[in-house]
Amino acid sequence: MAIRAGIPLSITTYTLPKDVEAYMNAALSVFLSELNQSHMTEYLSYSLNELTTNAKKANTKRVYFREKNLDLLNPADYDKGLENFKNDTLSNIDHYLQLQKEAGLYVKLILQLRNGKIKIEVRNNSELLPIEYKRMHEKIRLAQQYTAIDQAFEQVLDDSEGAGLGLIIMILMLEKIGLTKENFQIFCEGGETITRIILPLNETAQHDISVMSRECIKSIDSLPQFPETIRKVTALIADPEVKMSEIASCISSDVSLTTDLLKLVNSVQFALASPCRSIGDAVRMVGLRGIKNLVYAAGSISELQKICTAEQKKQWLHSYKVAFYAYNLARNFCANEKEVVEDSYVCGLLHDMGKLMFEAARPHLIDSIKQFSADKGISEDRFEKMTTGVNHSELGALIAEKWNFPEQITAVIRHHHEPDVAPEGIRALTSLIYLSDLMVHYEAGEVDFYQFDPDVLSLFRITAEDQMKNIVNRLSRAFTTH
């Protein structure tokens, strides 16, 4: 789920025992396998062990110096402390690990798929000292001069603190799987030392999933254009000379569309004091943009609910909840952005359209795509990843394009897990749907607060988990009431 939603996974340890080290490597292996990037496992496992060990060592150094009453920032004390640091700590490691835990010094692993790239971070809350920073960057500079690992062995001979042979070997290994100088970073921020590795996904795997997604669209022969009435309504709305009465008359000529629209107008989005029973009143009340959104929502629901499995019903409940949360968040946080408020409900309702369509078409679609994949030489493993929803955002956007959806709805469907790459004019709306979607998952206990994008939280002025809980609880109670 974290991979599909582009949210981070984090494992935190205070002492890094062997079983947690093994657990981190197992999580990394599954993460890479799910992304069809298993060829990176050996390289990244080595890197992970190197970085977590270094972070743990840095934490140990802090408590060791504190116990010895030595000042880390004093060069004389620093050199004195390092004379016996290695022997003292190795001979009594459990004692120093307990001190680390009592001091709240941690090592944290973060894995994330973001904007088509794998991001791996190892963090520890002991900021690098100037001398440590200098030594580390000297080793990085050295590594960039070598062309092979054996050169590093020949030239870096001693095993003293700061020699950094492991770091040099790690960088040389990562270069074999696409690491560039810009994509390996060591820096301090917010009291933490952060080592970040960013690697591109295997292009072949990404291409195969994209090709399968497009073939999926072609293979859904039960995916018609919207009904004629809906196309007429959207054409009327596009006419600057149109009268509201003409739109109302066109909608009223289709009993099914009239029923669906009145149901949506009387839904929680509008919170009417009394039910609206007239399409004419509905059109006047919600305006041209609102009626266009409702028409697309009604048409989509009509098509997507033709086959409704238990899984789809669960997904529909999620979508209705996201729509409700999005609309109410928009009214409270985006009141001055009229278009965001107007588009929030329909975008929340249709954000996971790719999942819904795939489930609806699944019975006859799987064999077709499987045969296509075999003909194209696409591995069964990649086919399985595609069918579990890895590319559902792109799939939903392709369907929206086929149905000629407005640009803002299509863009939100495509980018609702990565709002920072959405077109600038639609970024606020996309961030709103991202937040609403994760809030529903958070309420269900499926994600943790740390997994929310800090930039999106900042946009909605959410600064703490207690604040998030309060908002989610209020929205949940209101949804249940309605």
Side-chain angles (χ1 to χ4, degrees), residues 372-389:
F372 169 82
S373 301
D375 293 343
K376 294 289 184 181
I378 296 172
S379 73
E380 192 164 316
D381 179 58
R382 286 180 193 161
F383 165 77
E384 289 296 330
K385 296 295 185 293
M386 188 267 189
T387 59
T388 55

Side-chain angles (χ1 to χ4, degrees), residues 274-287:
S274 58
C276 175
R277 305 188 187 282
S278 159
I279 284 295
D281 289 343
V283 170
R284 283 189 293 274
M285 182 178 65
V286 303

Side-chain angles (χ1 to χ4, degrees), residues 313-358:
K313 287 177 181 176
K314 181 181 175 183
Q315 187 59 49
W316 272 118
L317 176 61
H318 173 82
S319 295
Y320 276 114
K321 217 168 195 181
V322 171
F324 178 82
Y325 285 21
Y327 179 69
N328 282 279
L329 287 170
R331 287 199 307 171
N332 283 279
F333 291 96
C334 312
N336 295 327
E337 299 175 77
K338 185 181 176 185
E339 291 185 353
V340 172
V341 177
E342 288 180 343
D343 295 341
S344 58
Y345 192 86
V346 68
C347 286
L349 191 63
L350 300 179
H351 75 286
D352 271 346
M353 193 166 70
K355 284 184 184 178
L356 288 160
M357 178 53 73
F358 196 89

Side-chain angles (χ1 to χ4, degrees), residues 238-380:
D239 181 357
E241 304 295 325
V242 73
K243 296 177 180 177
M244 290 292 198
S245 58
E246 293 178 74
I247 297 173
S249 177
C250 184
I251 293 172
S252 298
S253 68
D254 186 313
V255 175
S256 176
L257 180 59
T258 299
T259 303
D260 289 339
L261 279 178
L262 287 176
K263 184 177 179 182
L264 279 170
V265 169
N266 286 306
S267 71
V268 292
Q269 177 185 359
F270 298 99
L272 301 180
S274 58
C276 175
R277 305 188 187 282
S278 159
I279 284 295
D281 289 343
V283 170
R284 283 189 293 274
M285 182 178 65
V286 303
L288 291 178
R289 189 183 185 94
I291 208 69
K292 187 176 184 180
N293 282 343
L294 288 174
V295 163
Y296 277 107
S300 301
I301 292 168
S302 175
E303 288 300 321
L304 294 171
Q305 285 189 331
K306 284 180 178 175
I307 303 173
C308 201
T309 63
E311 181 59 36
Q312 274 188 296
K313 287 177 181 176
K314 181 181 175 183
Q315 187 59 49
W316 272 118
L317 176 61
H318 173 82
S319 295
Y320 276 114
K321 217 168 195 181
V322 171
F324 178 82
Y325 285 21
Y327 179 69
N328 282 279
L329 287 170
R331 287 199 307 171
N332 283 279
F333 291 96
C334 312
N336 295 327
E337 299 175 77
K338 185 181 176 185
E339 291 185 353
V340 172
V341 177
E342 288 180 343
D343 295 341
S344 58
Y345 192 86
V346 68
C347 286
L349 191 63
L350 300 179
H351 75 286
D352 271 346
M353 193 166 70
K355 284 184 184 178
L356 288 160
M357 178 53 73
F358 196 89
E359 281 298 320
R362 197 181 186 99
H364 67 273
L365 182 63
I366 297 297
D367 289 340
S368 171
I369 301 297
K370 198 168 188 175
Q371 184 59 52
F372 169 82
S373 301
D375 293 343
K376 294 289 184 181
I378 296 172
S379 73
E380 192 164 316

Side-chain angles (χ1 to χ4, degrees), residues 151-195:
Q151 284 182 295
F153 277 110
E154 289 172 10
Q155 296 184 36
V156 184
L157 299 177
D158 71 280
D159 66 346
S160 64
E161 195 274 340
L165 177 60
L167 182 64
I168 292 172
I169 292 172
M170 183 193 82
I171 292 171
L172 291 172
M173 290 177 70
L174 290 175
E175 285 175 353
K176 294 180 182 293
I177 52 174
L179 184 78
T180 63
K181 182 168 62 175
E182 295 76 21
N183 288 338
F184 180 77
Q185 304 162 350
I186 300 175
F187 58 97
C188 295
E189 183 179 89
E192 292 183 315
T193 295
I194 302 169
T195 306

Side-chain angles (χ1 to χ4, degrees), residues 105-255:
L105 297 179
Y106 57 76
V107 177
K108 181 184 294 184
L109 166 67
I110 299 174
L111 302 172
Q112 187 174 15
L113 175 67
R114 192 72 174 159
N115 301 336
K117 290 184 172 63
I118 296 169
K119 182 170 80 172
I120 298 175
E121 287 184 350
V122 173
R123 298 178 173 226
N124 63 293
N125 53 342
S126 298
E127 287 199 37
L128 280 173
L129 303 171
I131 189 170
E132 293 172 325
Y133 186 85
K134 181 181 177 183
R135 287 180 175 179
M136 196 166 282
H137 279 271
E138 281 175 358
K139 301 312 166 190
I140 293 171
R141 182 181 54 78
L142 272 177
Q144 290 162 355
Q145 295 175 3
Y146 299 140
T147 56
I149 291 174
D150 57 349
Q151 284 182 295
F153 277 110
E154 289 172 10
Q155 296 184 36
V156 184
L157 299 177
D158 71 280
D159 66 346
S160 64
E161 195 274 340
L165 177 60
L167 182 64
I168 292 172
I169 292 172
M170 183 193 82
I171 292 171
L172 291 172
M173 290 177 70
L174 290 175
E175 285 175 353
K176 294 180 182 293
I177 52 174
L179 184 78
T180 63
K181 182 168 62 175
E182 295 76 21
N183 288 338
F184 180 77
Q185 304 162 350
I186 300 175
F187 58 97
C188 295
E189 183 179 89
E192 292 183 315
T193 295
I194 302 169
T195 306
R196 178 179 295 158
I197 297 169
I198 298 175
L199 288 164
L201 288 175
N202 179 282
E203 290 183 8
T204 303
Q206 287 301 98
H207 175 264
D208 286 349
I209 289 196
S210 180
V211 166
M212 284 190 288
S213 293
R214 294 186 181 278
E215 182 61 22
C216 181
I217 296 294
K218 292 179 187 175
S219 299
I220 302 176
D221 47 21
S222 64
L223 185 65
Q225 288 294 335
F226 269 10
E228 181 66 22
T229 307
I230 292 182
R231 281 183 275 147
K232 283 182 180 178
V233 172
T234 53
L236 283 173
I237 292 171
D239 181 357
E241 304 295 325
V242 73
K243 296 177 180 177
M244 290 292 198
S245 58
E246 293 178 74
I247 297 173
S249 177
C250 184
I251 293 172
S252 298
S253 68
D254 186 313
V255 175

